[in-house]
Amino acid sequence: MPSGWAVRYDRVDAGRRSVAEAGETDLSAVTHQISAALAAFVDDRVQSAVARSFPVDVPLALGEFLNAGGKRLRPLLRVLGWRAAGGTGPMTSAIRFGAALEMFHVFCLIHDDVMDDPDTRRGRPTVHRALAKRHRNGRTAQAAERVGVSAAILAGDLALVWSDELLNASEAQLEPEVRTRVLRLVGLMRTEVLFGQYMDLEATGRPSADADRAPAIVRYKTATYTCERPLQIGAALAGAFLDRLSAFALPLGEAFQLRDDLLGVFGQQAETGKSVLDDLREGKHTLLIALALNAADPHQERLIRGLYGNPRLDERAAGTLREVLRATGADRAVEDVISSRHAQSLAALDAMPLDADVRAELAEQAAWRSG
Amino acid sequence: MPSGWAVRYDRVDAGRRSVAEAGETDLSAVTHQISAALAAFVDDRVQSAVARSFPVDVPLALGEFLNAGGKRLRPLLRVLGWRAAGGTGPMTSAIRFGAALEMFHVFCLIHDDVMDDPDTRRGRPTVHRALAKRHRNGRTAQAAERVGVSAAILAGDLALVWSDELLNASEAQLEPEVRTRVLRLVGLMRTEVLFGQYMDLEATGRPSADADRAPAIVRYKTATYTCERPLQIGAALAGAFLDRLSAFALPLGEAFQLRDDLLGVFGQQAETGKSVLDDLREGKHTLLIALALNAADPHQERLIRGLYGNPRLDERAAGTLREVLRATGADRAVEDVISSRHAQSLAALDAMPLDADVRAELAEQAAWRSG
């Protein structure tokens, strides 16, 4: 094993052991149990790679990334969907299935970062940057960057393959009917996020005043795979299909993404773990920009179109752009949409026949970044 | 559906129908049946995307790519592995499983092309080039290229997800024990090719005289997923594990890759469908280069190191490089290794207790590009 990674690898392993020893069973411990399951899985795969003399940079980079944080929101919602549908009993399979969803999320984030090219994620270098640095020795900066991107594409591919293996291990014991239903939902989730990413990509660098387009992008690149499908998968695993879960999940997922868009433009790096310039330089088509262009006077519109999506935008120009966006009132308009989606989501929750504690837990998940 | 794609889409569909109508059942028809199954699958997914108002560029690009050729070698070997293990009966499930392997191959090729950046594949623009062209309108060449790369990453991801869906549909009816064995082999195949690609990537741009390293790269990036695992998966589906298949498959896969390496350097574009400069500009670590550096005098070594892997290499310099490589005798040495691997493979075939027709068909597959 390359020595540079050994220390970090030990950390992953230590984290895994300490969590496994805790042996908690309440919902608040699910996050830890999922992290432990993921660390154990990566650990096992690293050992297999070592045994076959495969290079372990990529599996270790995945372990690092998983260890760096993440709210494990999708696995939690999968557990809550299962409980909402009356699922009871041991959580072992729930944990493994949740780990598969989290690994799928890792795949999405790594390929997303290759496409959008930010420097940081979760307060650390993105996977393609870390792997570029690892391959810098004896290469030009440009050549190392290319190797980093290629290695990160492979890292994302490996995460997708691994998420599938975690899934296969989880659904081997399912009733055929349940299995078919779950795999259909997993298939929809995967397809939707890939199409959502493609819609996002098509619109990037082409900000427009079209406020109708942004919600479709948000829905498929975020809301279904973050909220709706994990809840539905959980319910399906408990043998039920709760279509009313969508009325809770979709506005919630939309609120999450809109909050993310606002933080990308107005947030602090300490809070988001991302550079405060990346989103502005990238120039994605978001509701914020659509509403700003709708409300802008000709001078403001010129400024927005000149600065938003400029890959060389500096701090000062970013400050100007933020001021203009605020002056159009678009930030407050997006806050209003977030509040309204959050309220919509909670109203749908109230209308569902649920155990009080499941309802309370879902409401708690909904509170995250929605306020 | 965007009009630019409609014509090509109709072609895919027409191809599908004409093949389905043929209704052949012998092995030579398996290629066509697999192509038809793939076209039908893509067709179905395009319709679903249209129904949900998703953009269809990526699914159509995948359909195009599948329609542009390919020998369907992996699906054929999967069928032959099944027959070698005594598999009989209808081929329906074999065809679907074969389609899954071919879709996995498409995933590998598209991401490989994103990493290696050639202009052409199968005599047409690579997927990332085609998608860049599609997104050129209103963008700078550089911005369009970035969008093309991102879209091709998503296209590869979608092919991987689809290969998994074809797989799920095929193995739903399997006995649990067979299913476990098959999924294990599929998992090994996926992991090996990703690690093989990573080993290849690490060594690219760093040609060396280390002739021991090239075979490991060739084994994992090509031989296992092209030959060994498809044969083993076929055998496992017939309920058997034939470990002797590896003795046939691995040297064969190695011979294929070495032939590919030679064609990449000395072949004609009409023959390979690829530019004759791409491999030289890319500078992968191959057995050819290792042997050339081993045999080179100081002047030849300087020329090889100066020209091989130079991204701006022109036709004339490429001619010089080819002459130097020939002068070292490395091309003939690689031809000798190919012959020896081919002979090894056929000897293993002779040693296996097989039906005469299966043996003949395997020998025929082995003849491709080995001579």
Side-chain angles (χ1 to χ4, degrees), chain A residues 57 115 137 146 198 206, chain B residues 57 115 137 146 198 206:
Chain A
D57 302 351
M115 297 187 249
N137 190 21
R146 270 195 66 89
Y198 186 76
R206 296 177 161 172
Chain B
D57 302 351
M115 296 187 249
N137 190 21
R146 271 196 67 87
Y198 186 77
R206 296 177 161 172

Side-chain angles (χ1 to χ4, degrees), chain A residues 13 16 26-27 119 134 138 195 201 221 235 249 267 298 318:
Chain A
D13 199 39
R16 184 180 71 79
D26 57 309
L27 187 66
D119 292 322
R134 180 142 195 86
F195 278 103
L201 179 69
K221 90 166 182 183

Side-chain angles (χ1 to χ4, degrees), chain B residues 170-190:
Chain B
S170 327
E171 40 91 339
Q173 281 86 38
L174 297 178
E175 299 290 316
E177 199 179 313
V178 171
R179 183 173 174 274
T180 302
R181 199 183 292 166
V182 168
L183 286 182
R184 201 188 132 262
L185 290 166
V186 169
L188 286 171
M189 175 188 77
R190 290 175 175 179

Side-chain angles (χ1 to χ4, degrees), chain B residues 146-168:
Chain B
R146 271 196 67 87
V147 174
V149 163
S150 297
I153 293 173
L154 292 171
D157 293 342
L158 192 63
L160 179 52
V161 163
W162 279 358
S163 100
D164 198 47
E165 290 176 21
L166 282 158
L167 198 71
N168 284 333

Side-chain angles (χ1 to χ4, degrees), chain A residues 52 55 57 111 115 135 137 139 146 150 157 164 171 179 190 192 195 198 201-202 204 206, chain B residues 52 55 57 111 115 135 137 139 146 150 157 164 171 179 190 192 195 198 201-202 204 206:
Chain A
R52 299 190 71 184
D57 302 351
H111 278 189
M115 297 187 249
H135 290 282
N137 190 21
R139 287 191 171 88
R146 270 195 66 89
S150 296
D157 292 344
D164 199 46
E171 40 91 339
R179 184 174 173 274
R190 290 175 174 178
E192 283 158 352
F195 278 103
Y198 186 76
L201 179 69
E202 273 192 315
T204 295
R206 296 177 161 172
Chain B
R52 299 189 72 183
D57 302 351
H111 278 191
M115 296 187 249
H135 289 283
N137 190 21
R139 287 191 170 89
R146 271 196 67 87
S150 297
D157 293 342
D164 198 47
E171 40 91 339
R179 183 173 174 274
R190 290 175 175 179
E192 284 159 351
F195 278 103
Y198 186 77
L201 180 69
E202 272 192 315
T204 296
R206 296 177 161 172

Side-chain angles (χ1 to χ4, degrees), chain A residues 4 31 39 53 64 74 77 91 110 152 156 159 171 192 203 230 234 241 267 278 295 303 350 359 370:
Chain A
T31 311
S53 305
E64 272 282 280
R74 291 153 194 83
L77 289 177
M91 300 272 255
I110 293 174
E171 40 91 339
E192 283 158 352
F241 180 73
D278 286 342
L303 277 169
D350 281 341
R359 190 193 313 277
S370 290

Side-chain angles (χ1 to χ4, degrees), chain A residues 172-187:
Chain A
Q173 282 84 38
L174 297 179
E175 299 289 317
E177 199 179 315
V178 172
R179 184 174 173 274
T180 303
R181 199 183 292 167
V182 168
L183 286 182
R184 201 187 133 262
L185 289 167
V186 169

